[in-house]
Amino acid sequence: MKRFILLLLGCLTACIILAGCSEKLTLDQTQLDMTVGDSAELSAGKATRVSWESNNDAVATVNGGEVNAKSAGEAIITASLENGETATCRVKVSDKLINEITLSATGVRIEVGKTIQLEAAYKPADASHVVLSWESSDPNIATVNNEGFVTGVFAGVTTITCKSDNGVKASCTVNVGSASQPTAAPTHPPAVIKPTETTAAPKSTDPAASSQSGSSGGMLFPDSSTRYLTNDEIAAKIYSMSGTPLSNSFGQDAVNEIYARHGFVFRTASIRSYYEAQSWYHPDPGYDGSLSAIEQYNVGLLSQY
């Protein structure tokens, strides 16, 4: 009887062991969607002595159940027991894409034949897939190469756009002027560019004798700081002007007018005297020469006249 009891206990023990061994190996996740640089943890539950392996270490590696995404693609992570039982998880890795682009300037002015470089910064800085393209809205005015070098071709205004292959973009307005035109718009660098005044002074220093005396409130274009001007209205206004410009041209007068609204202090005595006689002008020696995007655009157009 004693031998029978011992045999029965042995059978029960064996059954318990076999029952435990027959429990299926499972993972807590059978599919992972990750981006390059991410990590995730896979668990095999209570299973011990689990071996882990990736069939594509270039896409995803695994160490003790920790999965690390390396590059875009797919990989299979396999967990194995000593008895040969396995469980798998499919891992799909996507690139970390650009979600924001900023350029080193939103508006610049260059001369025909001159070249500047626009630099692009993007976020996230650790994006795994970076493909940027550059385009000019009018290559007849300015061209741009795949490194952001912009070259002035003909006087006018164009837009340079930097775009990622997932559709994120940023733009810069480029005003191209001929070498004979004064530089009046901010460029980058330097950060502070002021209107040119070393040009012909007016024949009369009396503000009342200036062609601007017949404009609205002493202004050629009263709203040139708040809306985009057009070539047609600029031409119609300027080509109808008579008398003597304050500076070298009526176009330059209109450019100076934009700066005057900010309180720019003019060095040329006759120009300074004219603006000081205007009720809307308030000199600001601390003004750094910065302009809004609208003002930069209008300066580019006005600089052609």
Side-chain angles (χ1 to χ4, degrees):
M1 176 63 70
K2 184 177 180 180
R3 181 177 297 178
F4 175 77
I5 292 174
L6 291 175
L7 180 61
L8 180 60
L9 289 174
C11 290
L12 289 174
T13 302
C15 289
I16 293 172
I17 294 173
L18 289 174
C21 293
S22 64
E23 184 177 350
K24 185 174 180 61
L25 173 65
T26 59
L27 299 180
D28 61 337
Q29 299 180 81
T30 59
Q31 181 166 332
L32 286 174
D33 292 318
M34 308 175 70
T35 58
V36 174
D38 287 349
S39 62
E41 191 76 27
L42 289 176
S43 173
K46 296 181 180 180
T48 59
R49 295 185 181 182
V50 180
S51 298
W52 299 88
E53 183 181 13
S54 169
N55 74 335
N56 193 343
D57 285 335
V59 172
T61 61
V62 61
N63 182 18
E66 182 183 23
V67 181
N68 291 286
K70 298 297 185 180
S71 64
E74 292 191 6
I76 301 296
I77 303 299
T78 301
S80 304
L81 298 179
E82 291 180 345
N83 64 1
E85 189 174 357
T86 63
T88 61
C89 175
R90 181 181 296 274
V91 178
K92 183 178 180 180
V93 180
S94 302
D95 280 309
K96 183 176 288 188
L97 300 177
I98 292 173
N99 57 40
E100 181 182 345
I101 297 176
T102 56
L103 299 183
S104 53
T106 57
V108 296
R109 185 181 186 279
I110 60 175
E111 295 179 356
V112 171
K114 300 295 184 180
T115 298
I116 63 168
Q117 184 180 21
L118 294 175
E119 297 179 351
Y122 53 83
K123 292 181 181 179
D126 61 345
S128 60
H129 183 71
V130 181
V131 177
L132 300 178
S133 60
W134 295 81
E135 182 181 17
S136 171
S137 63
D138 191 343
N140 293 319
I141 293 177
T143 60
V144 61
N145 68 7
N146 57 10
E147 295 180 344
F149 284 94
V150 181
T151 301
V153 177
F154 191 80
V157 179
T158 186
T159 300
I160 301 299
T161 300
C162 178
K163 183 179 180 180
S164 67
D165 62 352
N166 64 318
V168 179
K169 59 186 178 180
S171 299
C172 174
T173 300
V174 176
N175 306 311
V176 180
S178 65
S180 61
Q181 292 175 321
T183 300
T187 58
H188 183 89
V192 179
I193 298 294
K194 298 179 180 179
T196 298
E197 299 181 75
T198 55
T199 54
K203 296 177 182 178
S204 170
T205 58
D206 180 4
S210 166
S211 61
Q212 296 196 36
S213 63
S215 61
S216 175
M219 295 187 187
L220 286 168
F221 297 96
D223 54 358
S224 59
S225 289
T226 58
R227 71 173 180 87
Y228 293 100
L229 302 178
T230 67
N231 273 308
D232 288 344
E233 68 177 307
I234 293 174
K237 177 75 172 181
I238 289 181
Y239 292 150
S240 68
M241 300 294 291
S242 60
T244 303
L246 283 172
S247 57
N248 71 312
S249 70
F250 293 121
Q252 181 62 50
D253 286 352
V255 168
N256 288 346
E257 181 177 277
I258 291 176
Y259 281 91
R261 290 194 188 97
H262 292 279
F264 180 80
V265 179
F266 296 87
R267 295 184 301 274
T268 303
S270 58
I271 298 177
R272 184 172 61 252
S273 296
Y274 171 78
Y275 284 111
E276 287 176 348
Q278 307 302 318
S279 61
W280 54 266
Y281 176 70
H282 303 285
D284 178 11
Y287 171 52
D288 63 2
S290 60
L291 298 177
S292 69
I294 290 177
E295 290 171 322
Q296 291 178 38
Y297 179 89
N298 288 337
V299 164
L301 290 182
L302 292 165
S303 297
Q304 302 175 52
Y305 295 88

